[in-house]
Amino acid sequence: MASTLSMLLCISVLLLGLCSAEDPFAFYDFEVSYITASPLGVEQQVIAVNGKFPGPVINVTTNYNVVVNVKNKLDEELLMHWSGVQQRKSSWQDGVLGTNCPIPAKWNWTYQFQVKDQIGSFFYFPSLNFQRAAGGYGGFTINNRVIIPIPFDTPDGDITILIGDWYTRNHTALRKSLEDGKELGMPDGVLINGKGPYRYNNSLVPDGIDYETITVHPGKTYRIRVSNVGISTSLNFRIQSHNLLLAESEGSYTVQQNYTSLDIHVGQSYSFLLTTDQNASSDYYIVASARFENETLWQRVTGVAILKYTNSKGKAHGPLPDPPNDEYDKTFSMNQARSIRWNVTASGARPNPQGSFRYGSINVTELYVLRNKPPIKINGKQRTTLNEISFSNPKTPIRLADQFKLKGVYKLDFPTKPLTGSPKMDTSVINGTYRGFMEIILQNNHTKVQTYHLSGYAFFVVGMDYGEWTENSRGTYNKWDGIARSTIQVYPGAWTAILISLDNVGVWNLRTENLDSWYRGQETYIRVVNPEATNKTELQMPDNALFCGALQKMQKPQDVTSLATSIKGNTSKLSFTVLLLLLISTMLSV
């Protein structure tokens, strides 16, 4: 009976075309809805996934096909974005306005993409309407295949930690403040895994707040994956009396170095190896505290969780472990960032692809110097800019406009250097050359740290320094083991240089991760098109694509079978599989 059952299950799955021996599928159902929670002791509306805040961790392996059916139970449109997860050949699944029409309220839509040749620590979040400020996020882990070695002993456990600044006002109130030309002001706290601070100080932390506790066994090594999912605050992460051995960042193994603490900027992800080698005389503090802010004012918004050994003899007590003492040293954090290096001897998702890519010897074909400034009024509204352009999202997504050859939706005229004259709003896009090698200089003329993210790619971080970038700055570049990642910080009054190999066809979002600046227009897209029409370098538009803007009339009413039909678009296979499953059920009942 067991062998017959297994055979029938295999037949049904293969008929659907959902898996193969090489590339399995992983299925997730996400119901995105509002719940009431009190992470800082104040009841508020938050966005949950499957009733949980934060949402579940997506945990898959290299080359898996990931299918996520998203049910939008919000009262507004929704898109889910997979931050740092490269949708190879398919920007259709990226979940940002430039590539996808939003999922209407009360609808569901199924994402399907492959985590091709990737490993690492990432996260997902809702990308529209300032919704990330209300939650809706969760971890995204991509593991190595068993046949590919990792550059450290297999850890005894894997722990996801999501840190971020938090407001007790809901996301609609926060975005209205921005639309009214106001700043958000100081956050009300820092959350760790959706929970407020442990009461380490009775005068700073009110009683009754639920805090996160992470339980570990003594004498073990754990992989700790930490992502800053907040709005706009750089955070310093540390664990009392423990070293953090940095091992990976956003899909790249790093040279392993110990840190007592590490600055994690908005949108960034790291994984550390944590050895539980202390005597467990008490529990230990896990701390996420604001960086580059007035410490006296910001003490009350420090995030504190508890690391608890199974043989712990008491509660954590005493002062929190100290943050970096660099008030008068502008270079401390930058030097720490420069110390993060690529492990060029490690295998990645494939045997040793990290060290085999000699990025420093490739000729640059395109150079863009992108400068941001503090918010400025454009057409009566406070807006943010790159090269004096504040991005205006088109009603018809760029990728959809290309598919149907619509004219006038966007312009391929994004300036290669800052414009002179008055800032303007525009839908101006970078025209990338397929298989070109692009150098981008991110110049931060704001007074706050800005973090930049590029969808669809891992770029090489080759340099950063204070002052204005010049051609001579290339003499300081790291051309050998600069880390490859998707999100990088740029310090105030400083620049960061990145290199990108444009081998992923599609329309890819380049933006600040600081949610307030992003919402006000500090973004653009890089459009990469293969000129060879017969070369299959991009996946076709999915069968379940949504239509909006100039193509709104093409949108059909919501189809209740959209999950099944979107996977392969073949209802006859689905029907036959249903019959097989009914047969299996009958056999089991006999």
Side-chain angles (χ1 to χ4, degrees):
M1 173 67 74
S3 60
T4 304
L5 177 59
S6 298
M7 181 181 68
L8 287 170
L9 283 170
C10 287
I11 292 171
S12 63
V13 171
L14 288 171
L15 280 169
L16 267 176
L18 295 183
C19 67
S20 67
E22 292 183 359
D23 300 326
F25 273 67
F27 295 89
Y28 290 86
D29 278 309
F30 276 15
E31 183 175 283
V32 183
S33 65
Y34 297 119
I35 63 170
T36 299
S38 308
L40 292 176
V42 178
E43 273 199 1
Q44 64 181 121
Q45 177 183 275
V46 306
I47 296 176
V49 180
N50 297 344
K52 302 293 184 182
F53 167 65
V57 175
I58 292 179
N59 195 320
V60 295
T61 299
T62 302
N63 290 352
Y64 268 45
N65 295 283
V66 182
V67 181
V68 186
N69 183 40
V70 176
K71 300 176 182 178
N72 179 12
K73 294 299 184 74
L74 305 182
D75 56 2
E76 57 187 14
E77 297 175 328
L78 172 72
L79 280 174
M80 296 300 290
H81 177 63
W82 324 99
S83 186
V85 181
Q86 301 169 34
Q87 285 78 42
R88 300 299 297 179
K89 304 180 181 180
S90 187
S91 56
W92 295 108
Q93 309 291 332
D94 199 33
V96 286
L97 273 179
T99 50
N100 304 119
C101 293
I103 306 168
K106 314 309 177 188
W107 280 42
N108 71 290
W109 196 78
T110 304
Y111 292 89
Q112 181 181 341
F113 52 90
Q114 186 178 24
V115 290
K116 183 70 173 172
D117 292 334
Q118 293 177 75
I119 53 94
S121 309
F122 312 97
F123 66 97
Y124 62 83
F125 67 89
S127 66
L128 298 187
N129 296 324
F130 221 71
Q131 291 163 353
R132 191 174 83 200
Y137 46 71
F140 198 126
T141 296
I142 308 177
N143 303 289
N144 280 72
R145 290 174 291 165
V146 175
I147 61 171
I148 305 297
I150 56 176
F152 43 83
D153 291 337
T154 302
D156 298 297
D158 199 298
I159 299 168
T160 295
I161 299 179
L162 305 178
I163 60 177
D165 55 0
W166 187 260
Y167 292 81
T168 55
R169 288 175 285 164
N170 66 26
H171 71 286
T172 56
L174 292 171
R175 76 184 185 218
K176 187 176 187 308
S177 292
L178 294 176
E179 290 163 358
D180 291 343
K182 302 173 184 175
E183 299 305 316
L184 297 180
M186 189 171 70
D188 298 296
V190 170
L191 303 189
I192 299 180
N193 283 349
K195 297 179 181 179
Y198 171 79
R199 201 178 191 197
Y200 69 96
N201 183 306
N202 291 349
S203 62
L204 292 174
V205 183
D207 193 15
I209 291 179
D210 189 20
Y211 57 88
E212 176 76 339
T213 298
I214 294 173
T215 301
V216 294
H217 294 274
K220 304 290 185 182
T221 298
Y222 294 85
R223 186 169 181 174
I224 309 286
R225 303 176 190 265
V226 188
S227 297
N228 186 338
V229 297
I231 296 174
S232 63
T233 307
S234 298
L235 298 173
N236 180 264
F237 181 79
R238 53 199 185 274
I239 299 179
Q240 184 181 26
S241 302
H242 290 74
N243 283 322
L244 300 168
L245 182 61
L246 183 63
E248 174 260 332
S249 176
E250 296 162 17
S252 292
Y253 290 121
T254 65
V255 173
Q256 292 175 29
Q257 300 178 80
N258 273 312
Y259 295 86
T260 55
S261 70
L262 189 73
D263 290 344
I264 304 179
H265 304 273
V266 181
Q268 291 186 332
S269 299
Y270 291 94
S271 66
F272 307 95
L273 299 177
L274 175 75
T275 302
T276 52
D277 55 4
Q278 299 302 299
N279 61 20
S281 58
S282 68
D283 298 340
Y284 298 94
Y285 295 125
I286 302 172
V287 182
S289 62
R291 290 288 274 140
F292 319 113
E293 304 288 353
N294 185 314
E295 290 294 327
T296 304
L297 292 174
W298 281 70
Q299 273 188 329
R300 69 182 179 85
V301 299
T302 297
V304 183
I306 294 297
L307 182 74
K308 185 179 187 63
Y309 281 48
T310 53
N311 63 339
S312 174
K313 299 177 179 63
K315 293 185 176 181
H317 58 274
L320 300 180
D322 290 330
N325 183 19
D326 62 344
E327 183 178 356
Y328 303 106
D329 183 359
K330 289 178 64 177
T331 62
F332 177 88
S333 183
M334 183 180 288
N335 285 337
Q336 186 186 67
R338 288 169 172 158
S339 72
I340 299 170
R341 299 299 181 95
W342 208 26
N343 185 343
V344 296
T345 64
S347 295
R350 292 174 286 122
N352 198 27
Q354 295 195 163
S356 62
F357 196 90
R358 304 287 190 265
Y359 70 85
S361 61
I362 300 174
N363 291 328
V364 170
T365 57
E366 301 164 77
L367 169 65
Y368 280 81
V369 179
L370 307 184
R371 183 180 66 193
N372 71 276
K373 289 182 176 180
I376 189 171
K377 275 198 173 182
I378 303 176
N379 301 335
K381 292 285 187 180
Q382 286 285 93
R383 301 288 297 179
T384 52
T385 58
L386 284 175
N387 285 4
E388 312 300 335
I389 295 176
S390 185
F391 192 81
S392 177
N393 274 294
K395 292 183 178 180
T396 308
I398 297 164
R399 187 63 198 88
L400 204 60
D402 278 354
Q403 178 75 16
F404 290 90
K405 297 181 172 53
L406 300 182
K407 303 297 183 183
V409 172
Y410 63 92
K411 302 173 184 174
L412 282 174
D413 63 351
F414 195 89
T416 57
K417 58 185 179 181
L419 296 174
T420 57
S422 300
K424 62 179 180 178
M425 289 184 63
D426 209 346
T427 310
S428 183
V429 173
I430 292 174
N431 188 18
T433 302
Y434 179 56
R435 291 181 177 165
F437 200 57
M438 182 179 287
E439 179 180 9
I440 294 182
I441 312 303
L442 301 163
Q443 183 81 49
N444 183 5
N445 283 25
H446 202 304
T447 56
K448 291 184 61 176
V449 176
Q450 298 290 311
T451 313
Y452 286 92
H453 175 87
L454 176 60
S455 294
Y457 287 93
F459 49 70
F460 299 97
V461 182
V462 294
M464 58 176 66
D465 205 351
Y466 284 96
E468 291 283 325
W469 181 88
T470 67
E471 299 277 346
N472 292 333
S473 301
R474 291 196 180 101
T476 67
Y477 282 7
N478 176 355
K479 294 188 176 182
W480 170 243
D481 60 356
I483 189 69
R485 61 186 310 167
S486 60
T487 312
I488 191 63
Q489 74 271 22
V490 191
Y491 294 94
W495 56 266
T496 296
I498 61 176
L499 298 176
I500 313 162
S501 178
L502 298 178
D503 60 351
N504 194 13
V505 172
V507 177
W508 304 106
N509 190 218
L510 174 62
R511 63 175 184 271
T512 177
E513 278 286 355
N514 302 57
L515 207 54
D516 48 354
S517 296
W518 183 12
Y519 189 74
R520 286 172 163 174
Q522 196 170 304
E523 65 174 323
T524 185
Y525 286 80
I526 300 178
R527 178 178 177 269
V528 182
V529 175
N530 184 353
E532 302 172 19
T534 57
N535 196 339
K536 301 293 184 182
T537 52
E538 185 181 20
L539 298 178
Q540 294 181 352
M541 183 180 75
D543 293 342
N544 65 337
L546 295 172
F547 297 96
C548 55
L551 301 171
Q552 179 65 51
K553 291 182 179 179
M554 295 179 62
Q555 182 58 54
K556 298 176 182 178
Q558 174 75 85
D559 181 357
V560 294
T561 64
S562 60
L563 169 60
T565 57
S566 68
I567 294 171
K568 289 295 175 184
N570 192 322
T571 53
S572 62
K573 288 181 182 178
L574 175 68
S575 301
F576 189 69
T577 302
V578 170
L579 289 173
L580 278 174
L581 293 175
L582 287 172
L583 176 60
I584 291 167
S585 177
T586 303
M587 293 175 67
L588 287 173
S589 64
V590 173

